[in-house]
Amino acid sequence: MLRQFFDYYRPHMGLFWLDFGCAVLSGLLELAFPLAVAGFIDHLLPQGDWGLTVLASAGLVGVYIVNALLMVVVIYWGHMLGINIETEMRARAFAHLTRLSWGWFDRAETGKLVARVTRDLEEIGEVAHHGPEDLFIAIMTFAGAFALMLWLHPPLAFMTLVVVPLMAWLLGVYGGRMTRNWQAIYARVGAFNVRLEESIGGIRVVQAFTNEAHERARFAEDNARYRATKLDAYRIMATVSALQYMGMRSVQVVVMVAGAAFVFGGSLSTGDYVAFLLLVGVFFRPLEKIAAVVETYPRGIAGFQRYQKLLAQSPDIADAPGAQDAPALSGRIRFEDVQFTYDGARGVLRGVTLEVAPGETVALVGPSGAGKSTLMALVPRFYDPTGGEIRIDGVALTDMTLASLRRQVGLVSQDVFLFGGTLRENIAYGKLDAGEDEILEAVRNARLDTLVSELPQGLDTMVGERGVMLSGGQRQRVAIARVFLRNPPILLLDEATSALDRATEREVQAALARLAVGRTTLIIAHRLETIRHADRIVVLDTGRIVEIGNHDTLVSNQQAYVALLG
């Protein structure tokens, strides 16, 4: 884990050495101060030379100025190092999330994912800055201070050293507990975010059913659990801090009394005595820094472990070795004995065989759970079949790269997702480099031109989060405009009008009919009268095709299709 962590330093080694070098130099200057005080007391004061005293003081002020500048470098550029690493990790985590498959997101909770790429990485950034630097400087300062104390007075130096085993014991006992506790805190934060996101995202449902008190109670439970877990961490931290403080201050008192005895006995000068007491403070400072590590490092370690766990998630759907970019597709789709299950137990599709000709419109109908949406989701490889094969223009889907396949498949579903930007940005999402003329053409084809002319800022009007400023029919037509821009040879319409009123549905259907011209189209429709025009209608039940034909043929058969018509 440490090797993987330090790999993130490689692009920033210049910044690392600048920060590290300045921190080391600053630590060395701190060690020099007690010796300067000893010289001041033992040599300058007895001479009574004001000129030399002022000159030495000015030199000491110069050292302080240099140290202050070094501290600026350590604090600013050191944190820049941590932020650079944090930013790179966040970018890598987000890029990895965008590659994961629908199946993974079906099981994931968004609130926990948000915590992993925000709070977790902030803690890692702090450790990235303070980690190697604090540890090395603590060891260096500790060793340097002890060497100087040993040089000034060996017996007192060994008296001071007695606190080290206590600190080592504290780190050994409580360090592991702190790591486990912060892992639990991160888990609580994730649950906390999930509850918050669900409650805010579903606020209309909450208020519609007057369940505000219920949501407050659920939130209070998560909030209380988070509070209890965090208090456990601070209880451990308080115990460590109290034991560390008492141990170090007790040793300090013993050294002060014993040092006074050595001064009275004549084996230690007054200047060396004062210098030794100052060095004791310098000696304890790394121990206090290491104690602070007990608080900071476990958070970073827990965050990095969760970050690694996220990156270790491999996409269920990925380009196969040797996959090639798909050529321009004509849209001939063949399902060959396709089987699919979500959990390995319940079969959703059971041996579906179907061929769709280029430019043909095929409607998929059947009761809820028949496998219609699943069959459609297999075409752009949002999922892979667990058995059988799907080919387009004779080429297996797994032999095409995902990007080249999905660029040639357009999807309009019932649940339209709009981003919280402008109308223009949401339409142009279908083709990010689209020009103004192309966007306006897509607007006309999707029958959005009347809406655009009525909006105060036209295409530059903000649509609100998830498009809340638009009606359901308007959002559907934005989705259609996106697909017009993409201009794919294959079109998937998954109950694109089922949530609309009849008048709005007719408008959207007209736009969809225009969109489907010349494309291979698969349609799932809630209202069967909307798919009468389909070239063929495929009736699915319990994952199998039970009937195929056009509307008139199926009606005359008086079988499954007629049962659906009611």
Side-chain angles (χ1 to χ4, degrees):
M1 184 184 70
L2 286 175
R3 187 181 68 254
Q4 291 174 331
F5 181 73
F6 285 120
D7 281 343
Y8 286 93
Y9 285 87
R10 295 187 188 281
H12 313 288
M13 291 308 293
L15 203 55
F16 171 78
W17 287 116
L18 174 66
D19 171 45
F20 193 77
C22 289
V24 169
L25 188 55
S26 177
L28 291 173
L29 291 177
E30 282 292 310
L31 286 174
F33 176 68
L35 299 181
V37 171
F40 196 92
I41 294 172
D42 285 343
H43 301 292
L44 289 179
L45 290 183
Q47 292 181 32
D49 187 338
W50 268 109
L52 191 58
T53 300
V54 170
L55 187 62
S57 300
L60 193 58
V61 170
V63 170
Y64 284 155
I65 291 173
V66 171
N67 209 9
L69 294 174
L70 292 172
M71 288 172 63
V72 169
V73 173
V74 170
I75 292 172
Y76 180 74
W77 277 276
H79 277 100
M80 182 188 293
L81 171 66
I83 291 169
N84 287 351
I85 291 174
E86 175 191 336
T87 303
E88 182 183 337
M89 285 183 168
R90 185 171 291 117
R92 190 174 296 189
F94 183 78
H96 186 70
L97 282 171
T98 61
R99 287 191 292 267
L100 293 175
S101 311
W102 280 24
W104 188 85
F105 284 105
D106 290 342
R107 302 183 295 272
E109 294 176 296
T110 305
K112 292 183 178 180
L113 296 180
V114 170
R116 289 191 185 185
V117 296
T118 52
R119 171 150 187 171
D120 285 16
L121 292 181
E122 287 175 5
E123 300 293 354
I124 294 171
E126 280 298 301
V127 172
H129 168 213
H130 295 291
E133 171 192 304
D134 282 2
L135 188 59
F136 180 83
I137 293 171
I139 294 171
M140 182 200 71
T141 309
F142 177 80
F146 182 70
L148 290 174
M149 288 190 296
L150 202 61
W151 176 63
L152 288 173
H153 203 277
L156 278 180
F158 285 114
M159 286 183 192
T160 311
L161 199 62
V162 75
V163 76
V164 175
L166 171 65
M167 294 300 300
W169 177 79
L170 284 174
L171 289 174
V173 170
Y174 288 100
R177 292 187 192 177
M178 286 294 291
T179 299
R180 289 189 295 273
N181 196 271
W182 279 105
Q183 286 173 334
I185 286 174
Y186 286 145
R188 295 293 185 208
V189 169
F192 199 77
N193 286 350
V194 169
R195 181 74 64 220
L196 191 63
E197 184 189 0
E198 286 182 346
S199 299
I200 293 175
I203 193 64
R204 290 168 176 78
V205 177
V206 172
Q207 292 180 351
F209 285 90
T210 62
N211 280 337
E212 294 92 338
H214 172 67
E215 289 302 320
R216 284 195 293 269
R218 295 172 71 194
F219 186 83
E221 290 177 9
D222 284 330
N223 208 6
R225 282 194 288 266
Y226 176 70
R227 174 182 178 273
T229 307
K230 202 159 188 181
L231 282 176
D232 283 344
Y234 288 121
R235 177 179 53 79
I236 297 171
M237 198 183 305
T239 303
V240 172
S241 298
L243 291 173
Q244 162 223 331
Y245 178 82
M246 281 306 301
M248 290 192 297
R249 295 301 172 256
S250 298
V251 170
Q252 206 165 18
V253 171
V254 169
V255 168
M256 188 168 60
V257 173
F262 287 123
V263 171
F264 298 154
S267 63
L268 188 66
S269 70
T270 303
D272 285 349
Y273 174 63
V274 174
F276 197 97
L277 290 179
L278 291 173
L279 281 171
V280 169
V282 176
F283 179 78
F284 283 160
R285 204 170 300 145
L287 297 180
E288 292 171 343
K289 192 180 285 286
I290 291 171
V293 165
V294 174
E295 174 191 353
T296 307
Y297 281 25
R299 289 185 293 188
I301 291 169
F304 190 66
Q305 286 173 338
R306 284 161 58 89
Y307 172 77
Q308 283 185 303
K309 188 176 180 182
L310 173 62
L311 292 190
Q313 299 292 329
S314 56
D316 301 325
I317 311 297
D319 288 338
Q324 301 291 319
D325 284 348
L329 300 174
S330 67
R332 181 179 298 279
I333 307 172
R334 178 163 179 78
F335 301 87
E336 298 176 1
D337 192 27
V338 170
Q339 301 171 50
F340 182 81
T341 174
Y342 284 104
D343 56 10
R346 296 174 293 109
V348 178
L349 297 175
R350 299 179 174 90
V352 172
T353 298
L354 173 68
E355 183 157 339
V356 182
E360 186 180 17
T361 296
V362 173
L364 306 175
V365 301
S368 178
K372 306 181 296 295
S373 294
T374 300
L375 187 65
M376 185 175 283
L378 297 178
V379 175
R381 286 193 71 200
F382 294 140
Y383 303 93
D384 273 342
T386 49
E389 189 177 52
I390 303 174
R391 293 177 171 271
I392 298 180
D393 293 356
V395 181
L397 296 189
T398 51
D399 292 336
M400 308 178 193
T401 61
L402 280 173
S404 66
L405 167 64
R406 291 175 180 173
R407 274 195 297 266
Q408 301 191 65
V409 178
L411 173 65
V412 182
S413 63
Q414 174 185 349
D415 184 20
V416 175
F417 186 93
L418 299 187
F419 297 92
T422 65
L423 184 60
R424 180 194 307 278
E425 290 167 344
N426 275 282
I427 293 172
Y429 206 78
K431 184 181 177 185
L432 297 177
D433 59 350
E436 185 73 8
D437 291 342
E438 291 177 287
I439 293 173
L440 292 176
E441 180 67 18
V443 166
R444 285 190 292 271
N445 284 329
R447 299 197 173 183
L448 274 171
D449 40 350
T450 302
L451 170 67
V452 171
S453 65
E454 293 172 350
L455 291 172
Q457 294 175 289
L459 285 170
D460 296 314
T461 302
M462 301 297 290
V463 299
E465 186 177 1
R466 293 178 179 266
V468 294
M469 307 299 290
L470 303 179
S471 70
Q474 289 166 346
R475 288 197 294 272
Q476 286 289 359
R477 277 175 281 175
V478 171
I480 294 167
R482 281 178 183 168
V483 179
F484 266 117
L485 264 186
R486 170 148 288 199
N487 193 27
I490 298 171
L491 181 61
L492 309 177
L493 306 178
D494 188 355
E495 300 200 63
T497 63
S498 63
L500 307 178
D501 60 76
R502 293 302 175 95
T504 305
E505 182 182 35
R506 281 194 294 271
E507 293 178 11
V508 173
Q509 282 290 346
L512 287 173
R514 184 181 298 183
L515 177 61
V517 172
R519 309 178 201 274
T520 302
T521 306
L522 297 181
I523 304 175
I524 297 173
H526 178 71
R527 297 172 184 154
L528 297 186
E529 61 267 26
T530 62
I531 47 92
R532 290 172 179 262
H533 66 282
D535 298 314
R536 282 188 298 163
I537 298 172
V538 176
V539 184
L540 290 164
D541 193 12
T542 62
R544 294 185 175 88
I545 295 177
V546 295
E547 203 173 6
I548 299 181
N550 60 33
H551 174 77
D552 293 337
T553 302
L554 295 180
V555 168
S556 65
N557 289 345
Q558 293 291 305
Q559 295 182 20
Y561 181 70
V562 173
L564 292 172
L565 289 173

